Amino acid sequence: MLTITGQSISSELAIGMIRFYRHKKTIINDAVAADPDAELSRYQLAYHTAMEQLHLLHDKTLEQVGAEEAEIFEMHRMLLSDRQFHHAILHSIIQDHKTAEYAIYSVGEELWNRFIHMEDPYLQARGADIQDIMNRLLFLLSGKKESSMDATEPFILMAEDLSPSETVQINSSKLLGFITRQGSPYSHTAILAKTMNIPALMHIDIEEAWDGHLAIIDGEKQCLYIDPSEELIAEYQLKQASIEQKRTELQALKMLPAVTADGHSIALYANINAPTDIENAISQGAEGIGLFRSEFLYLNAQEYPDEEVQYHIYRRVLEQMPDKHIVIRTLDLGADKKSPYLALEPEENPALGYRAIRICLSRPELFKVQLRALLRAAAHGELHIMFPMITSLWEVQRAKEMVEECKAELCAEHITYGNPVLGIMIETPAAVMIAEDLAAEAGFFSIGTNDLAQYTLALDRNNARLHDFYDPHHPALIRMIRMVVEAAHKHNIPVSICGESGADLTLTRAFMEMGIDSLSVAPNALLPLKKTIREISLT
């Protein structure tokens, strides 16, 4: 028996036979094309075929996996039809007389390199989307037939890595788990694993010789067992039965309130990136949305989303959860989240630089488009608008003034709008220290524990080398959170925890003892959190 460790995506486990997936390969050379017109025709045929394939993949994924994953292929269609990407390939073929294959490869590689050198791990992982688009075009040009990943028996899939397109071709009803050499927690393989509640181990030194061998994946221990003993198989079969029992018990909590054994209640909200995430939030019993990260509308677009686009998206969120508490954070761009069309200059310390509310207040023409869309959407539900990265009182006051200016504009144009509650994120030590002043101006607080920890501990939370130094239980952080709660309640406004710490079950009792009014976490963390709350007694 072999025991190998890797990086786990979920704490699930699987027992089954390994099936090795071999990737398609296309040979690229830098030869000058003899007939540029013929190469142009070949590229255009591949382009239109790819667009049609992506449309079909979107529909298949929507039906078999879910709306969130289906959006991946709409994003691929947007990237493929991006004017700069498309024109760069055409220029390489027409002006430089390159083959269609080389033009696609060279332009795709340049774009891929930009993504993988970004600081944000999520954006780094989007480099895989660029490669997927590039490989799709190259494969179509090769004239080969699409390979199938169907299977008749349950299996554990082993591969170097998996692109989004390859991932959705898997027969998910037979898939037990993933083993890959590459990948990241933000890749689409990881997203699919989390969605389907199946184990995935990455950074495994895979060997083709394991193909056809029995294996066990233990996501919690981050271990892979090849050719396990009968005793170990029996032990894990019992564990599987226990996990299924616990999952059934958690689902039974879905409609029950988050109330402690001695009657203290707390609201549980979900954090989402897009309207397509709401279905999952509802299925996990979310009482509302505590954080809708609106910046992903900007990051996934090729140009600035206008007022109408934003209005319909925000309205969709509100109408999907009628009469529920919905918090939409104004765009939190900058630092490691950049959109090319915003033309943000490189910075030596981007986490401390031109970002979030600082961009919004200094570019009112951009901010007012979002505020107008939010105000119009507010007529359709219980909307709360949240301003991020606040460090000074004047920032809140100026943001509120701009909201009033937008209301006046809409009124003059006879456009219906609502009156959302305006609140702020507390995610800097400066905001903590002036929390009482801020509470007098805000309708609610949401404590962003991820950034608050980063700025308080002087520690880059995306730096893997600092993992051992990152301490969400640090006494300074706990004291800061308590200070914020006291300031909020002194001014009779609610306060929420929004960040990884909200799902940390070892902190749940402490948060409730402080008087936190709500916790906002990833949808899949809601039911385990509710179970913990219902088992607590505060008296």
Side-chain angles (χ1 to χ4, degrees):
M1 180 177 75
L2 289 175
T3 303
I4 304 103
T5 58
Q7 182 179 358
S8 180
I9 298 305
S10 73
S11 59
E12 304 295 325
L13 64 88
I15 306 170
M17 291 294 181
I18 292 175
R19 181 181 176 190
F20 182 59
Y21 174 70
R22 294 168 179 82
H23 292 269
K24 308 179 288 286
K25 292 185 178 179
T26 304
I27 299 174
I28 308 294
N29 62 67
D30 190 14
V32 174
D35 187 351
D37 289 338
E39 293 302 313
L40 181 60
S41 296
R42 292 178 66 234
Y43 165 67
Q44 289 175 331
L45 178 60
Y47 171 84
H48 291 296
T49 305
M51 291 293 280
E52 178 60 26
Q53 286 182 347
L54 289 168
H55 176 71
L56 295 173
L57 278 171
H58 172 274
D59 291 349
K60 175 184 176 182
T61 309
L62 183 64
E63 178 184 351
Q64 297 183 358
V65 184
E68 180 182 357
E69 288 70 27
E71 286 295 314
I72 293 165
F73 298 102
E74 279 303 301
M75 181 177 71
H76 281 201
R77 282 168 61 89
M78 290 171 61
L79 288 170
L80 183 57
S81 60
D82 176 69
R83 189 180 306 168
Q84 289 184 333
F85 180 74
H86 188 57
H87 284 182
I89 293 172
L90 294 177
H91 184 276
S92 182
I93 294 171
I94 298 168
Q95 302 297 325
D96 300 336
H97 292 187
K98 299 297 183 182
T99 63
E101 285 87 349
Y102 184 80
I104 291 164
Y105 175 77
S106 59
V107 172
E109 279 287 292
E110 181 181 352
L111 189 56
W112 174 76
N113 264 299
R114 288 186 211 165
F115 273 91
I116 65 166
H117 289 105
M118 292 181 178
E119 294 183 16
D120 185 344
Y122 177 87
L123 294 177
Q124 284 179 359
R126 299 291 67 78
D129 297 301
I130 302 301
Q131 282 194 319
D132 195 10
I133 294 166
M134 180 172 64
N135 289 337
R136 175 174 299 280
L137 291 169
L138 292 173
F139 190 72
L140 286 168
L141 287 168
S142 74
K144 297 176 183 177
K145 291 185 177 180
E146 195 77 37
S147 61
S148 173
M149 294 182 70
D150 286 339
T152 57
E153 299 295 329
F155 67 100
I156 293 172
L157 183 67
M158 178 173 67
E160 287 290 327
D161 197 6
L162 288 169
S163 71
S165 296
E166 290 168 330
T167 302
V168 299
Q169 290 179 55
I170 301 165
N171 183 345
S172 58
S173 66
K174 302 296 182 182
L175 181 64
L176 299 173
F178 293 112
I179 309 166
T180 62
R181 187 188 302 275
Q182 301 174 37
S184 84
Y186 304 92
S187 69
H188 291 302
T189 306
I191 291 171
L192 183 64
K194 290 174 183 176
T195 302
M196 298 172 64
N197 288 319
I198 59 175
L201 280 179
M202 298 179 174
H203 304 297
I204 295 286
D205 289 330
I206 62 172
E207 296 182 15
E208 283 196 45
W210 297 346
D211 194 8
H213 285 240
L214 185 67
I216 295 174
I217 299 176
D218 186 331
E220 187 174 2
K221 293 183 178 178
Q222 305 193 81
C223 282
L224 171 68
Y225 302 100
I226 306 293
D227 297 324
S229 65
E230 290 185 8
E231 292 80 8
L232 193 64
I233 293 171
E235 177 185 333
Y236 273 94
Q237 286 173 336
L238 287 174
K239 285 185 178 181
Q240 275 187 324
S242 176
I243 288 170
E244 281 303 314
Q245 178 63 31
K246 289 178 181 177
R247 187 172 289 132
T248 301
E249 291 172 358
L250 283 176
Q251 280 300 315
L253 298 176
K254 177 181 171 181
M255 303 307 294
L256 297 177
V259 180
T260 63
D262 54 345
H264 293 82
S265 64
I266 188 169
L268 297 185
Y269 302 134
N271 297 337
I272 64 170
N273 297 333
T276 49
D277 298 336
I278 290 179
E279 183 180 335
N280 187 30
I282 293 171
S283 73
Q284 298 299 314
E287 298 174 51
I289 302 301
L291 173 64
F292 173 42
R293 302 178 179 95
S294 69
E295 59 269 17
F296 282 91
L297 304 181
Y298 300 78
L299 293 171
N300 291 334
Q302 297 304 305
E303 58 185 15
Y304 185 80
D306 64 24
E307 183 180 322
E308 285 302 313
V309 168
Q310 294 192 56
Y311 162 64
H312 287 292
I313 290 172
Y314 303 145
R315 177 175 174 174
R316 178 181 166 193
V317 172
L318 289 159
E319 291 181 338
Q320 281 185 272
M321 297 188 81
D323 304 318
K324 297 291 186 182
H325 176 100
I326 306 292
V327 178
I328 297 180
R329 180 174 68 188
T330 56
L331 66 95
D332 188 7
L333 291 174
D336 51 9
K337 292 178 284 189
K338 294 182 173 66
S339 287
Y341 54 83
L342 289 179
L344 300 178
E345 296 179 2
E347 296 178 291
E348 188 172 340
N349 292 302
L352 304 178
Y354 187 56
R355 57 173 297 193
I357 198 67
R358 298 166 183 174
I359 294 176
C360 293
L361 296 183
S362 60
R363 296 178 67 171
E365 76 288 351
L366 180 153
F367 194 28
K368 281 191 171 184
V369 170
Q370 182 174 39
L371 291 178
R372 284 173 57 98
L374 286 166
L375 287 168
R376 290 172 59 192
H380 302 279
E382 188 186 328
L383 178 61
H384 295 64
I385 297 176
M386 180 161 64
F387 305 123
M389 196 63 186
I390 296 297
T391 59
S392 300
L393 185 62
W394 74 266
E395 294 168 337
V396 184
Q397 293 169 335
R398 179 60 188 131
K400 290 173 67 178
E401 287 173 1
M402 291 177 71
V403 170
E404 293 304 315
E405 290 168 11
C406 289
K407 286 182 180 180
E409 291 173 7
L410 292 169
C411 185
E413 296 167 26
H414 305 290
I415 297 174
T416 302
Y417 64 89
N419 288 290
V421 180
L422 306 180
I424 64 173
M425 290 202 79
I426 302 290
E427 50 192 332
T428 66
V432 172
M433 300 309 294
I434 61 168
E436 281 205 31
D437 298 326
L438 294 172
E441 291 285 345
F444 66 93
F445 280 166
S446 182
I447 304 174
T449 57
N450 297 346
D451 267 335
L452 184 59
Q454 172 171 253
Y455 295 127
T456 301
L457 303 177
L459 180 151
D460 179 0
R461 58 190 172 95
N462 292 323
N463 188 333
R465 290 177 296 177
L466 300 178
H467 176 75
D468 292 340
F469 297 90
Y470 182 80
D471 180 12
H473 302 87
H474 195 289
L477 290 171
I478 301 302
R479 290 176 192 173
M480 283 183 158
I481 293 170
R482 186 175 288 109
M483 287 172 62
V484 173
V485 174
E486 290 172 356
H489 289 172
K490 185 175 179 180
H491 288 266
N492 298 312
I493 65 169
V495 58
S496 175
I497 293 287
C498 179
E500 295 299 322
S501 293
D504 186 338
L505 302 182
T506 64
L507 288 172
T508 306
R509 169 183 284 275
F511 290 151
M512 294 200 70
E513 287 175 341
M514 289 179 198
I516 291 290
D517 298 288
S518 62
L519 298 170
S520 190
V521 298
N524 291 341
L526 285 164
L527 290 179
L529 183 55
K530 185 180 289 187
K531 181 176 185 294
T532 297
I533 290 167
R534 290 179 64 84
E535 293 171 351
I536 289 173
S537 179
L538 298 178
T539 56

